[in-house]
Amino acid sequence: QLDIVHCTLMPHGIEAHHTTSRSTQFQIMIDHSIVGPLQLQRGNGTLRIQDSIIDGMSAPAITTLTSTHAAGITTHIERATIFGPVQLQELIQARNVIFTAPVYVQRQQTGMVSFSYVPESSQTPRRTHCQPDLALAQQNQSGKRKTSMEEEQIYLLFTSSRYGDPGYAQLSISCAPEIRRGAEGGSEMGAFHYLRQVQRQDNFYHALDEYFPFHLAINVFFVN
């Protein structure tokens, strides 16, 4: 068992080759951490990621595919931002996750992806309340075709996607509201879901409206 909690493992990630008895299962948990590529092969176990950033650094971010039909590795992801392609054998759950590149899951008959951003051409288990799927479905139901300007609103936009920058993995204030408010509870998708930034911003505006003189205009300027 390996638990990585409140750690930074960059630019290197984790590479594991399970060589013990097939009946022995391993468990890897990544919590509130920034980690490089994850390459888990020839194993039987569980990978859990929560409140973390996984950065492939121009390589696949997570790989758990094997060439055999053994039980393999099951993956659970919650409140995470994944930079780079993802190739999984089995995805039990992905919730409030931002995938920046296509996701391929070998066993698509089990598991679910919810309240997440999943790029086009991804092959995953059943998806619900995901973007841009939800926006496109609503567009089709309304019978209206969006202009190119409106279609850009559901694209990802970060303050920075380069490790080491102050705004690394932070959603830009210009990012689409479908993403900034698309997670459970109306919060933002991704690794910073727990900060409740959108709700805090809304509460701040409500407080200003109550005490600010009516003839003056107000605005908030973010440092990064």
Side-chain angles (χ1 to χ4, degrees), residues 15-26:
E15 182 175 352
H17 296 278
H18 199 228
T19 58
T20 59
S21 172
R22 289 185 178 182
S23 62
T24 303
Q25 293 191 353
F26 67 80

Side-chain angles (χ1 to χ4, degrees), residues 23-36:
S23 62
T24 303
Q25 293 191 353
F26 67 80
Q27 295 182 7
I28 298 178
M29 197 241 325
I30 300 174
D31 182 14
H32 287 86
S33 297
I34 303 176
V35 182

Side-chain angles (χ1 to χ4, degrees), residues 42-89:
R42 294 187 302 182
N44 180 16
T46 302
L47 170 65
R48 294 184 180 273
I49 303 171
Q50 57 189 39
D51 302 290
S52 297
I53 301 169
I54 310 298
D55 196 334
M57 301 289 289
S58 73
I62 308 175
T63 302
T64 65
L65 288 179
T66 62
S67 58
T68 66
H69 297 284
I73 302 169
T74 61
T75 305
H76 305 250
I77 310 176
E78 295 188 73
R79 304 176 303 277
T81 300
I82 315 294
F83 289 106
V86 174
Q87 302 170 346
L88 304 176
Q89 188 170 14

Side-chain angles (χ1 to χ4, degrees), residues 109-127:
Q109 67 274 18
T110 60
M112 184 174 69
V113 182
S114 59
F115 298 97
S116 300
Y117 182 89
V118 184
E120 295 182 11
S121 75
S122 295
Q123 301 180 42
T124 70
R126 182 171 65 93
R127 298 199 290 261

Side-chain angles (χ1 to χ4, degrees), residues 6 39 67 155 218:
H6 292 282
Q39 297 183 13
S67 58
Y155 290 163
I218 61 174

Side-chain angles (χ1 to χ4, degrees), residues 16-212:
H17 296 278
H18 199 228
T19 58
T20 59
S21 172
R22 289 185 178 182
S23 62
T24 303
Q25 293 191 353
F26 67 80
Q27 295 182 7
I28 298 178
M29 197 241 325
I30 300 174
D31 182 14
H32 287 86
S33 297
I34 303 176
V35 182
L38 303 177
Q39 297 183 13
L40 313 179
Q41 299 176 349
R42 294 187 302 182
N44 180 16
T46 302
L47 170 65
R48 294 184 180 273
I49 303 171
Q50 57 189 39
D51 302 290
S52 297
I53 301 169
I54 310 298
D55 196 334
M57 301 289 289
S58 73
I62 308 175
T63 302
T64 65
L65 288 179
T66 62
S67 58
T68 66
H69 297 284
I73 302 169
T74 61
T75 305
H76 305 250
I77 310 176
E78 295 188 73
R79 304 176 303 277
T81 300
I82 315 294
F83 289 106
V86 174
Q87 302 170 346
L88 304 176
Q89 188 170 14
E90 187 172 3
L91 179 60
I92 301 300
Q93 175 179 259
R95 185 167 60 189
N96 303 319
V97 180
I98 293 177
F99 296 100
T100 64
V103 182
Y104 171 75
V105 180
Q106 191 175 54
R107 300 176 182 171
Q108 301 172 24
Q109 67 274 18
T110 60
M112 184 174 69
V113 182
S114 59
F115 298 97
S116 300
Y117 182 89
V118 184
E120 295 182 11
S121 75
S122 295
Q123 301 180 42
T124 70
R126 182 171 65 93
R127 298 199 290 261
T128 176
H129 295 92
C130 290
Q131 296 293 356
D133 296 351
L134 187 59
L136 294 174
Q138 293 174 345
Q139 172 187 341
N140 293 333
Q141 289 178 358
S142 64
K144 296 179 180 179
R145 182 172 182 177
K146 287 191 174 184
T147 65
S148 58
M149 289 289 291
E150 291 174 324
E151 289 176 346
E152 291 178 357
Q153 293 179 1
I154 58 174
Y155 290 163
L156 278 173
L157 186 61
F158 293 98
T159 302
S160 174
S161 58
R162 187 177 68 176
Y163 173 72
D165 287 350
Y168 172 62
Q170 178 190 62
L171 287 179
S172 169
I173 59 174
S174 302
C175 187
E178 291 89 344
I179 300 172
R180 294 184 66 233
R181 298 177 181 269
E184 288 180 293
S187 189
E188 69 179 82
M189 301 175 180
F192 298 116
H193 172 273
Y194 71 98
L195 292 177
R196 306 287 180 180
Q197 294 277 38
V198 175
Q199 286 85 349
R200 293 165 67 182
Q201 180 181 335
D202 291 342
N203 291 338
F204 183 60
Y205 275 117
H206 290 323
L208 289 178
D209 287 340
E210 184 176 356
Y211 296 103
F212 215 78

